[in-house]
Amino acid sequence: YQNRDYQEDMRYFMKVFEELQVDAVELSGYNFSSFSAREHCYYLKDAAKLRKQFDVPVILVGGIRNLEDMKAVLEAGVDMAAMARPFIAEPDIINRLLSGQEGSRCISCNNCHGLYLTEGRRCVLHPYPEKGM
């Protein structure tokens, strides 16, 4: 897959989605290991470029950790910003951000993928569950 032009694939699928009149497309990626925990708004340039080329509303998810990130996504012309792992780390993240917390405590470690099965918790920032629960 690395030799393929993923942008060409994205344009193909956006055209199909446009023809099908889908309500919106959420864009993300799979190679988060190529980003550091300090990086934000993964794939923003690609999402903004696609949004300019097609009439399908675009939602970007990945590396969005604070209100400034959300603003950057919207200012780039992307229709919506979404978060996933920050909600796993802090289900009340939106209220926390609106109350002045600078950003999500999520450290982008990806351990939320399967941690529940091995440790009974969803995030490395969560306490271990009590025995017998």
Side-chain angles (χ1 to χ4, degrees):
Y1 186 81
Q2 291 178 350
N3 294 329
R4 293 189 51 154
D5 180 2
Y6 74 90
Q7 292 180 357
E8 181 181 325
D9 290 345
M10 291 189 327
R11 286 188 300 274
Y12 168 81
F13 283 110
M14 288 296 288
K15 185 174 186 323
V16 171
F17 297 146
E18 191 173 60
E19 290 169 2
L20 292 173
Q21 298 179 337
V22 299
D23 292 326
V25 173
E26 184 176 65
L27 297 178
S28 183
Y30 71 95
N31 191 9
F32 298 115
S33 63
S34 67
F35 296 101
S36 77
R38 292 182 302 274
E39 291 182 71
H40 292 248
C41 304
Y42 316 146
Y43 312 110
L44 178 56
K45 290 179 185 175
D46 291 329
K49 186 175 177 181
L50 283 175
R51 184 58 183 103
K52 289 176 184 171
Q53 295 173 4
F54 297 93
D55 289 330
V56 179
V58 172
I59 307 164
L60 180 64
V61 66
I64 298 169
R65 300 287 184 259
N66 56 49
L67 296 175
E68 291 78 27
D69 292 342
M70 294 176 203
K71 183 178 178 182
V73 169
L74 298 175
E75 286 179 349
V78 177
D79 299 282
M80 290 176 253
M83 294 187 295
R85 292 177 291 173
F87 280 111
I88 296 170
E90 301 170 280
D92 60 344
I93 184 61
I94 297 299
N95 289 334
R96 289 171 177 259
L97 293 174
L98 292 175
S99 295
Q101 182 173 308
E102 286 187 29
S104 173
R105 292 176 50 223
C106 177
I107 59 173
S108 302
C109 68
N110 287 325
N111 286 320
C112 50
H113 301 287
L115 190 65
Y116 184 76
L117 297 174
T118 59
E119 297 184 13
R121 58 189 180 143
R122 301 270 181 211
C123 178
V124 296
L125 301 177
H126 296 173
Y128 284 93
E130 292 184 33
K131 298 285 184 195
M133 293 191 76

